[in-house]
Amino acid sequence: AYEKTGSPKKALYSFDSALLAKPALRRPAAAHVGRATALRALGKKRDAAIAVRKALKLEPNHREALQLAKELR
């Protein structure tokens, strides 16, 4: 949500926090996609690509991750 309101740093912090939370997220791939989106908005394309790869490793058919992977090429 933050990345859509122009606060990608807050979004990144939220997604990072969610990935560290206990109990673990049920679908952490979605948080990795959120991280990738925020990182891309911050101009960190390489880090965004790494986050997308982590998401796809967890959920190889994650639609948003697949789309974002194409956009980051």
Side-chain angles (χ1 to χ4, degrees), residues 8-10 14 19 27 33 36 41-42 44 50 58 60 62 64 70:
K9 285 184 181 181
K10 288 181 182 178
S14 294
L19 287 166
R27 292 190 64 210
V33 170
L42 291 168
K44 297 182 178 187
I50 292 168
L58 295 168
H62 193 286
E64 272 186 87
K70 286 181 188 176

Side-chain angles (χ1 to χ4, degrees), residues 16-70:
D16 284 343
S17 296
L19 287 166
L20 295 172
K22 300 290 181 207
L25 294 173
R26 192 172 55 103
R27 292 190 64 210
H32 286 293
V33 170
R35 286 190 81 248
T37 302
L39 287 163
R40 181 177 63 173
L42 291 168
K44 297 182 178 187
K45 188 176 176 180
R46 185 169 185 251
D47 292 334
I50 292 168
V52 168
R53 282 195 298 275
K54 287 180 181 179
L56 290 171
K57 185 175 181 182
L58 295 168
E59 290 185 45
N61 295 317
H62 193 286
R63 191 173 27 139
E64 272 186 87
L66 291 168
Q67 180 61 41
L68 196 50
K70 286 181 188 176

Side-chain angles (χ1 to χ4, degrees), residues 1-3 5-17 34 38 42:
Y2 290 117
E3 71 271 11
T5 62
S7 301
K9 285 184 181 181
K10 288 181 182 178
L12 184 59
Y13 177 81
S14 294
F15 289 119
D16 284 343
S17 296
L42 291 168

